[in-house]
Amino acid sequence: DTGVSQNPRHKITKRGQNVTFRCDPISEHNRLYWYRQTLGQGPEFLTYFQNEAQLEKSRLLSDRFSAERPKGSFSTLEIQRTEQGDSAMYLCASSSPWGGETQYFGPGTRLLVL
Amino acid sequence: GESVGLHLPTLSVQEGDNSIINCAYSNSASDYFIWYKQESGKGPQFIIDIRSNMDKRQGQRVTVLLNKTVKHLSLQIAATQPGDSAVYFCAEKVQAGTALIFGKGTTLSVSS
């Protein structure tokens, strides 16, 4: 499968714990995006990387959230001191520098904070 | 704020009918539009996209129409099949921006 992959697919944690999600973009896609989706809503943009540089962050990305893409390939999204309001689907997408604007999404990581 | 909205939250059609899903956008600076299909428990799946310098684009069984005058986008699905049942989202991107701005989605239900 050459699509975007995300791990884990599901995560249940207790309030106050830290969680980390991983995204592997499509090979050779240098652009990587994180979105959050709550039930019944469309995805909301969190942050964007071009290669290893984090170029844009949404106001939704509070200081408890941090994202990295150290080698310009996979990315991690960490949430510290999770809150029940963090429960959502966290989606990763990638796009090609040659393929225009199309963002291809992964299957997502569903987080439940108890 | 700037957002993309959909006219109807749900649409029910019979198998074989043509489906039309509508979307209104508010930002005249948007220059790229895209439709995604999302099945339960999965990530959004790319269907078709269109740039603002076009008013129509066709794919396999799908057509996207863009009317910049009234800021309206539609997705037409020909010969709708049960496998087309899903939530459909339109999204826009403003010129020189990176983030896609999504609406709330339309749930398409296809009965056989």
Side-chain angles (χ1 to χ4, degrees):
Chain A
D1 188 349
T2 57
V4 177
S5 61
Q6 293 187 246
N7 289 288
R9 293 294 310 278
H10 303 274
K11 179 71 176 178
I12 300 174
T13 191
K14 293 182 179 179
R15 189 176 55 185
Q17 297 294 305
N18 300 343
V19 294
T20 300
F21 309 139
R22 175 177 171 130
C23 170
D24 287 87
I26 294 171
S27 179
E28 298 181 351
H29 279 195
N30 69 335
R31 299 172 183 173
L32 187 147
Y33 315 79
W34 284 98
Y35 290 80
R36 182 177 72 182
Q37 185 177 27
T38 53
L39 202 61
Q41 305 296 313
E44 297 173 292
F45 172 76
L46 292 177
T47 190
Y48 159 66
F49 289 85
Q50 183 167 307
N51 299 312
E52 65 276 7
Q54 188 174 20
L55 298 183
E56 191 171 339
K57 290 195 287 186
S58 161
R59 289 172 294 176
L60 292 175
L61 209 68
S62 75
D63 56 5
R64 295 185 297 105
F65 288 69
S66 62
E68 295 183 342
R69 196 183 183 198
K71 298 181 180 179
S73 56
F74 73 91
S75 175
T76 59
L77 177 68
E78 181 183 17
I79 309 174
Q80 295 182 328
R81 305 181 302 282
T82 52
E83 302 173 355
Q84 289 183 324
D86 297 331
S87 296
M89 173 83 91
Y90 289 85
L91 292 161
C92 176
S94 69
S95 65
S96 165
W98 310 285
E101 316 280 358
T102 309
Q103 296 182 21
Y104 296 92
F105 283 83
T109 294
R110 183 167 293 283
L111 173 67
L112 177 60
V113 182
L114 301 176
Chain B
E2 300 165 356
S3 65
V4 175
L6 293 174
H7 292 303
L8 292 174
T10 60
L11 177 64
S12 297
V13 300
Q14 292 285 323
E15 182 178 2
D17 287 352
N18 296 331
S19 302
I20 300 176
I21 301 172
N22 295 305
C23 176
Y25 66 94
S26 59
N27 195 334
S28 57
S30 293
D31 66 347
Y32 175 77
F33 305 88
I34 187 166
W35 282 98
Y36 287 97
K37 171 187 179 184
Q38 188 172 28
E39 297 173 287
S40 181
K42 297 183 179 181
Q45 176 187 353
F46 168 76
I47 301 173
I48 192 168
D49 57 2
I50 188 168
R51 298 205 63 85
S52 58
N53 61 353
M54 303 174 67
D55 54 20
K56 181 179 180 179
R57 192 169 186 212
Q58 288 183 293
Q60 187 176 14
R61 282 203 306 119
V62 294
T63 301
V64 56
L65 299 177
L66 176 62
N67 185 329
K68 294 180 288 295
T69 302
V70 294
K71 297 179 186 173
H72 184 266
L73 191 69
S74 69
L75 176 70
Q76 299 178 359
I77 305 174
T80 315
Q81 303 167 1
D84 295 326
S85 295
V87 180
Y88 288 80
F89 292 97
C90 67
E92 64 180 320
K93 189 182 75 66
V94 298
Q95 190 175 18
T98 54
L100 291 176
I101 303 167
F102 285 80
K104 290 185 178 181
T106 291
T107 300
L108 175 65
S109 298
V110 183
S111 53
S112 52

